[in-house]
Amino acid sequence: MQIIEMNSHKISRVLYQWLLLTVELKTGEKFIYRLLEASTFAEFIDSADKDKFYRSHIEANKKFKRIQIFG
């Protein structure tokens, strides 16, 4: 499992393991995304603006199954 702390406006950290991407927002909300390919995670980490990439490529992508975690 990879845990990466983020320096972004909205995202606190991300966890990644076996095509499951967990995004923890600074508001405390957590979402799990079932990704289709591992390259999406690498593109997310390498992107210059992670907030924009998250909104446009992950959150808005209807192919990725999104589950909210309450805790």
Side-chain angles (χ1 to χ4, degrees):
M1 176 183 296
Q2 296 181 18
I3 300 173
I4 299 171
E5 299 292 328
M6 291 288 161
N7 185 13
S8 78
H9 298 291
K10 296 184 178 185
I11 302 169
S12 177
R13 64 184 179 157
V14 296
L15 297 87
Y16 178 74
Q17 184 176 23
W18 300 336
L19 296 178
L20 291 176
L21 177 69
T22 303
V23 177
E24 184 176 329
L25 302 179
K26 291 194 175 177
T27 60
E29 293 176 292
K30 294 180 187 176
F31 298 97
I32 291 180
Y33 293 89
R34 174 83 169 111
L35 304 180
L36 301 176
E37 47 189 47
S39 63
T40 303
F41 176 70
E43 291 169 10
F44 174 57
I45 295 305
D46 294 339
S47 66
D49 187 344
K50 291 177 180 50
D51 291 321
K52 183 177 178 182
F53 188 92
Y54 173 68
R55 281 192 314 273
S56 62
H57 290 81
I58 298 174
E59 187 177 38
N61 191 335
K62 301 300 180 199
K63 294 182 203 173
F64 299 156
K65 184 173 182 182
R66 173 177 153 154
I67 302 165
Q68 185 168 2
I69 302 172
F70 297 96

